[in-house]
Amino acid sequence: VGGAPVKLFGNFVKPSEVAVCYFGETSVPVSNFGAWGVECIAPASADVGSVKLSYSHNGIDRELTGISFRYHSSPGVYSVEPKVGSVNGGTLITVTGVNFFNSTLWYCVFGNDVAIRAVYDNAHQLHCVTPATRDLLPEEQLVTVMLLSDSMLEGLDDTTYITEDFTVSQAVIKKSTLAEGEASFNFVSPFILTAVSPRITFTETAKEVNLTG
């Protein structure tokens, strides 16, 4: 689908307005330039596979990089919303990414070890409910998604893999598709409301209400 920012590191000639990066034979304009090199946005590709990367500061003469860029159709994760929730779990989050498809075998993976069943919304979104943190302590965790293999359901005696949640193991990962990319989610201590003042007001009157916690 393209759209990924790609940085080429090296001593490049400062680009002009016609400077481009080549992904195979497809050219795209340079989107950013720095002392470290140049950045371009990968164009979409109809094919899965690798293409050669090259650079041209004038749109004519190419500087070969000897590096390839690979297009793949596996799922990818860009972000989660909301990004903050209670250490007690129970926050409904939306995971945004690419190459999702209708399946009941999607799971959100929190902190690389806890998998929670996800629900398919569309090709770019899944949603799931956050788990509680270990010992209910505040922490930041990385979130991604995985798709379990249909082969896990064939002749399955143990329902471990089709429960609502489970602990991720290397055996599961080897038989699953783990999405590229991840996003951060912050687990925080919940707000505890201890007082409201005032407790009564007239419906016709706008009144400031103080919450204490």
Side-chain angles (χ1 to χ4, degrees):
V1 296
V6 177
K7 290 183 177 180
L8 302 180
F9 294 90
N11 297 319
F12 296 101
V13 176
K14 186 172 182 179
S16 64
E17 294 181 354
V18 296
V20 295
C21 294
Y22 282 93
F23 290 74
E25 296 304 312
T26 303
S27 64
V28 292
V30 169
S31 59
N32 191 17
F33 174 80
W36 42 266
V38 298
E39 181 179 72
C40 296
I41 304 301
S45 173
D47 302 314
V48 173
S50 298
V51 295
K52 297 294 185 181
L53 286 177
S54 56
Y55 166 75
S56 175
H57 73 280
N58 58 11
I60 300 175
D61 302 311
R62 293 196 195 186
E63 298 178 32
L64 301 179
T65 65
I67 299 172
S68 296
F69 180 83
R70 181 170 179 78
Y71 287 94
H72 59 84
S73 57
S74 62
V77 169
Y78 294 155
S79 65
V80 298
E81 288 292 340
K83 294 178 171 57
V84 179
S86 171
V87 295
N88 296 317
T91 301
L92 180 66
I93 65 171
T94 297
V95 181
T96 300
V98 293
N99 295 328
F100 301 150
F101 56 87
N102 195 3
S103 172
T104 59
L105 298 178
W106 289 108
Y107 281 78
C108 293
V109 180
F110 293 83
N112 298 320
D113 59 1
V114 177
I116 303 292
R117 187 184 290 277
V119 176
Y120 170 82
D121 294 327
N122 56 56
H124 296 284
Q125 288 187 341
L126 306 172
H127 70 265
C128 58
V129 176
T130 61
T133 61
R134 188 176 290 107
D135 298 324
L136 301 182
L137 295 175
E139 62 178 329
E140 180 181 0
Q141 291 187 6
L142 294 177
V143 181
T144 189
V145 299
M146 68 165 21
L147 179 70
L148 301 190
S149 169
D150 288 336
S151 64
M152 290 183 173
L153 305 181
E154 298 176 2
L156 195 63
D157 295 324
D158 184 354
T159 58
T160 299
Y161 296 137
I162 55 175
T163 57
E164 293 302 308
D165 59 86
F166 60 87
T167 299
V168 178
S169 66
Q170 286 301 314
V172 172
I173 292 175
K174 288 180 180 179
K175 296 181 179 180
S176 306
T177 299
L178 196 62
E180 298 286 339
E182 53 200 6
S184 295
F185 185 85
N186 284 291
F187 289 89
V188 298
S189 298
F191 173 76
I192 300 176
L193 184 64
T194 58
V196 178
S197 179
R199 295 188 177 185
I200 300 174
T201 187
F202 295 102
T203 57
E204 297 84 1
T205 305
K207 185 71 174 179
E208 182 178 292
V209 177
N210 297 312
L211 305 179
T212 304

